Amino acid sequence: MRWITVGPTGQPGTSIVLYPPFASPGITDDERRTISEMMAKGTYGIVVLATKDLDRTFERLQARDADIVQEPTDQPYGIRDCAIRDPAGNLIRINEVR
């Protein structure tokens, strides 16, 4: 199995690991098919980002006609977040850093 880790310059605490999930050892052919189907629909992957000002970030996304899934909401588990979909259908949640 191979993977690549990428991150922004000057932010060593931020990284994204990219790897094909169907390459994980121990999964069956049926599971690989299911993962591929879910990825094609955009229901398998999720990206979580953080911002200091969720409302301002949301307003900017809304002004750019982002595909809004959930407006900024105080969640019962203690965070405030919103959700959008990227053009490929992947879910992106944005948390407010407090």
Side-chain angles (χ1 to χ4, degrees):
M1 183 168 145
R2 298 191 185 273
W3 69 90
I4 184 171
T5 303
V6 297
T9 302
Q11 295 183 19
T14 302
S15 62
I16 299 172
V17 178
L18 304 170
Y19 74 95
F22 48 83
S24 298
I27 63 173
T28 66
D29 288 340
D30 285 341
E31 291 169 329
R32 281 187 184 86
R33 255 189 309 282
T34 299
I35 290 169
S36 294
E37 290 169 4
M38 291 175 72
M39 288 175 68
K41 290 182 355 185
T43 58
Y44 185 75
I46 183 172
V47 174
V48 180
L49 303 173
T51 182
K52 292 181 181 178
D53 188 343
L54 183 64
D55 293 319
R56 181 169 179 252
T57 299
F58 181 79
E59 287 172 8
R60 291 174 57 203
L61 290 166
Q62 200 169 33
R64 290 180 171 88
D65 294 324
D67 182 4
I68 305 298
V69 174
Q70 175 204 303
E71 294 187 4
T73 304
D74 291 319
Q75 300 294 350
Y77 41 87
I79 64 166
R80 179 171 168 77
D81 71 351
C82 69
I84 63 169
R85 287 205 187 277
D86 72 8
N90 299 301
L91 184 65
I92 300 172
R93 298 202 72 84
I94 305 171
N95 298 336
E96 184 170 77
V97 178
R98 294 184 180 178

